[in-house]
Amino acid sequence: PLTLDEIAQTLEFTVEGLYTNYTGGEDRIQMQILAIKSAKDPEKSLPLGDHVGQHLKAGDTIIIDAGCISEAMVRSMSKPQFDEEDIENFRQLLRFALNDRVLCFCGPRWLAGSIVGTAVPDDDGLLPYLIKTDPLPGLPSRTISAPSDQDHTITQEVCFDPSDLHLIKAAASLVKESSKPSLRFDVGTEVVCRLGNADDGLEHWVPGKVSEVWPKLPGERRWEIDEVSGDFPDVVPYKIDLAEGRWIYGHKDHHTLIRRHGLSPHVRVKGISKRMEERTNKDGSREKFDHQTERGKRIQTDDPDSE
């Protein structure tokens, strides 16, 4: 069955194609649908992951909230210098923010890194992102740019499906058999894992159980980029059986990607998951919880941080 997300992608592709044809190929536009609503209830955004038939029937009118920017708009914004309002308006259309963890497509392979700049003025306009890549053996860390804000160019680091093995290998660290670090969780430990963001655009954690530690990764081992070559990781920390019936690899033993069961964030965010979080306990007390150490500190009523 057709989903609302598939309708959104089709509309984006169609509008972008129509605009290119309209300009005779001299300009292109990037469109991002932010929400789909029924004309019968225009205040309510429909979940993009739902099937169309759950909310709409033939003949229904829908309302689309979308943002668009063309290459000509970006070029025109480059001269004169952008003001703060221009940059902030552009930044509001972006999916990622400073310090978010991402993977970028760099031709021969994907590289993992962190966002260090957004809406950056360039000779040709505004670059969506600057990314500082993680160092690899023979390939030091460097700052690169992402020319577009689309999944085929830049995508968020989460726990990936096994079908995205190229992303798993790009995001995982190369670990020698003789120097494997101790892991936080053993086989059988119940955990929660961060997958791709939910329909509301915020982080999405699902329960599961560790079924294997240091599982082997299949597929090619060698990579080459800029005349530098090396080996992809052949193991990752975890294989996790999800409660929903499928399994994933846990490519990194980190609190932003995998946590002990029951430690999903109380306040969900769009970007990288927070290490420190103020949580309200069942008894009504509040604590400042550290997801890295799994320790909490009770917040006293006279604590300035609790205001």
Side-chain angles (χ1 to χ4, degrees):
L2 188 68
T3 66
L4 290 164
D5 187 51
E6 289 171 329
I7 286 183
Q9 293 178 25
T10 300
L11 288 172
E12 290 171 349
F13 179 80
T14 301
V15 170
E16 290 170 355
L18 288 172
Y19 184 83
T20 299
N21 291 336
Y22 175 76
T23 61
E26 295 182 1
D27 193 20
R28 292 183 298 175
I29 196 169
Q30 181 179 332
M31 177 182 184
Q32 183 176 357
I33 291 181
L34 307 175
I36 295 179
K37 304 173 183 179
S38 170
K40 297 177 181 178
D41 189 3
E43 300 301 319
K44 178 182 179 182
S45 297
L46 302 179
L48 295 180
D50 284 3
H51 296 150
V52 174
Q54 293 178 247
H55 305 280
L56 303 168
K57 63 180 184 298
D60 281 354
T61 300
I62 60 174
I63 299 171
I64 302 298
D65 287 345
C68 296
I69 189 165
S70 70
E71 292 180 350
M73 290 169 61
V74 174
R75 288 194 298 269
S76 66
M77 291 170 65
S78 63
K79 294 180 181 181
Q81 293 294 316
F82 303 108
D83 59 32
E84 288 300 320
E85 183 178 359
D86 293 332
I87 293 175
E88 188 57 33
N89 288 339
F90 184 86
R91 189 170 283 142
Q92 291 301 314
L93 295 174
L94 300 178
R95 294 176 296 158
F96 309 125
L98 292 178
N99 301 317
D100 280 356
R101 291 285 303 171
V102 295
L103 290 93
C104 303
F105 183 60
C106 296
R109 61 161 290 171
W110 290 73
L111 294 176
S114 300
I115 302 286
V116 294
T118 62
V120 180
D122 181 69
D123 290 342
D124 296 322
L126 284 174
L127 290 171
Y129 305 109
L130 294 181
I131 305 97
K132 187 173 180 62
T133 63
D134 297 342
L136 295 170
L139 194 65
S141 175
R142 55 181 176 172
T143 300
I144 62 175
S145 63
S148 68
D149 186 19
Q150 297 179 334
D151 259 344
H152 64 262
T153 300
I154 181 170
T155 191
Q156 189 172 37
E157 182 179 3
V158 294
C159 291
F160 298 108
D161 187 86
S163 62
D164 292 321
L165 193 60
H166 58 295
L167 297 178
I168 295 169
K169 290 185 175 184
S173 299
L174 192 62
V175 178
K176 296 182 179 179
E177 181 69 29
S178 59
S179 58
K180 290 177 180 175
S182 299
L183 299 178
R184 293 180 296 156
F185 307 121
D186 299 319
V187 172
T189 303
E190 293 187 348
V191 295
V192 288
C193 305
R194 182 173 181 179
L195 305 185
N197 283 0
D199 290 334
D200 60 4
L202 302 180
E203 58 188 317
H204 176 49
W205 292 77
V206 297
K209 182 181 292 186
V210 176
S211 60
E212 188 177 348
V213 295
W214 296 116
K216 290 280 188 180
L217 294 178
E220 61 179 314
R221 288 292 316 281
R222 298 289 293 174
W223 58 264
E224 183 174 345
I225 184 172
D226 293 342
E227 300 182 353
V228 177
S229 61
D231 290 327
F232 283 115
D234 62 345
V235 295
V236 290
Y238 302 111
K239 180 182 177 184
I240 300 148
D241 292 334
L242 301 181
E244 59 188 37
R246 61 191 181 99
W247 63 272
I248 59 172
Y249 287 115
H251 66 268
K252 187 181 296 182
D253 188 19
H254 198 269
H255 67 88
T256 58
L257 299 172
I258 178 171
R259 296 176 178 179
R260 198 176 304 277
H261 189 272
L263 294 183
S264 298
H266 285 197
V267 178
R268 296 157 56 232
V269 297
K270 177 182 176 181
I272 190 169
S273 300
K274 303 299 183 184
R275 171 181 173 178
M276 305 300 297
E277 181 183 29
E278 290 191 7
R279 302 162 63 97
T280 301
N281 300 315
K282 292 181 179 180
D283 62 2
S285 64
R286 299 177 68 230
E287 67 174 353
K288 183 170 289 187
F289 192 84
D290 185 337
H291 284 286
Q292 179 168 302
T293 63
E294 296 187 355
R295 295 177 180 177
K297 181 179 180 182
R298 194 180 186 92
I299 299 176
Q300 304 298 330
T301 56
D302 59 348
D303 188 341
D305 290 340
S306 67
E307 296 179 358

